[in-house]
Amino acid sequence: MITPDIIATGLGDVVLQPVHHATFMLSWGENSIVFDPVGGTARLAGLPRPDLVILTHEHPDHYDEATLLALAEQGPLDIIASPGTHALLPDALKTRATRLANGETVEKLGVVIDAVPAYNTTPERLQFHPRGLVNGYVLDFGGTRIYNASDTEVTPELAGMTDIAVALVPMNLPYTMTGPQAAEGVRQFRPRIVYPFHYLGGREDEVFAKALEGEAGIEVRLRDWYEGQ
Ligand SMILES: [Zn+2]
């Protein structure tokens, strides 16, 4: 298991646990949220049972029906789903899911959750994530904002983010962006801490970190999101 980090927030300490690729968990007090769980519940072994699953979009590295059904078998499970994932959910899960589109907001577990646009902007890549397919999410933990950018390039919405304590930013071609491109986006919205993730197919995260070297006020946290897998 990748070593987790403690993030001090307005709701107390939040444990940020990288799991794999685009999957991570945020836990605090008795509460736990997992983003885009795929590949079976074994990957979450030893972690708190999630109360809430948040789904960004329906690509197979983000959405896995079998994993969701297995989590629901372990106990009460709330779900926030993008429109595309909501449509795919089997009825047993759909009844407990909140459908959230870009621009919509919901509050769960005392956290205000905004669904924000995530999409490709490079002409040759538009088909991978057309606007409206993917939800990025900003979670407000009592004034401390954690941003899962999900599968996106540098959009005006990403560049215009403000007051982000922690960001998770994707990279890998052709689906999202290069390390330097992601670094350029991060330099604009200036999260205090940033985790490059979703970098399957090489250590583009290291290229990203290099591009942000010496950038004051932005701490890059490299983690091996593919450890042991
Ligand atoms: Zn995707």
Side-chain angles (χ1 to χ4, degrees):
M1 190 61 72
I2 304 162
T3 305
D5 289 320
I6 309 291
I7 310 290
T9 79
L11 294 184
D13 285 350
V14 171
V15 178
L16 189 156
Q17 174 69 63
V19 176
H20 179 75
H21 184 58
T23 307
F24 67 99
M25 183 174 271
L26 299 173
S27 311
W28 72 106
E30 299 295 302
N31 309 298
S32 180
I33 299 174
V34 67
F35 287 87
D36 289 346
V38 300
T41 54
R43 282 189 175 148
L44 304 176
L47 301 180
R49 195 188 66 74
D51 305 288
L52 172 64
V53 169
I54 302 183
L55 302 171
T56 65
H57 66 301
E58 58 265 44
H59 288 163
D61 54 333
H62 299 263
Y63 177 86
D64 176 17
E65 179 181 310
T67 301
L68 297 175
L69 287 168
L71 286 173
E73 266 178 27
Q74 294 176 355
L77 186 71
D78 202 353
I79 298 173
I80 292 175
S82 64
T85 54
H86 189 267
L88 287 178
L89 287 171
D91 286 344
L93 298 178
K94 195 175 285 189
T95 52
R96 59 177 93 195
T98 302
R99 180 186 184 277
L100 214 61
N102 287 181
E104 295 184 328
T105 296
V106 70
E107 185 173 339
K108 300 274 187 188
L109 306 170
V111 178
V112 177
I113 300 169
D114 292 328
V116 300
Y119 54 96
N120 287 101
T121 54
T122 301
E124 314 82 73
R125 301 181 206 155
L126 295 180
Q127 74 277 19
F128 296 122
H129 305 96
R131 198 184 165 114
L133 181 88
V134 184
N135 283 346
Y137 291 97
V138 177
L139 277 66
D140 189 324
F141 288 83
T144 307
R145 285 153 52 83
I146 299 180
Y147 173 36
N148 175 5
S150 193
D151 286 11
T152 191
E153 291 186 62
V154 179
T155 64
E157 292 85 356
L158 178 141
M161 282 285 160
T162 54
D163 192 24
I164 299 296
V166 179
L168 297 99
V169 174
M171 49 209 67
N172 79 334
L173 291 184
Y175 306 105
T176 61
M177 51 188 165
T178 64
Q181 194 186 350
E184 192 42 53
V186 162
R187 199 172 277 119
Q188 294 179 65
F189 76 88
R190 312 197 70 77
R192 296 194 282 285
I193 296 168
V194 62
Y195 293 83
F197 74 157
H198 193 280
Y199 54 82
L200 193 62
R203 291 306 297 258
E204 192 69 13
D205 60 326
E206 291 174 353
V207 178
F208 168 82
K210 189 100 189 136
L212 283 171
E213 224 166 56
E215 190 73 31
I218 302 176
E219 179 191 347
V220 179
R221 293 190 177 175
L222 296 180
R223 299 292 180 265
D224 183 359
W225 289 73
Y226 304 89
E227 182 185 277
Q229 329 221 9

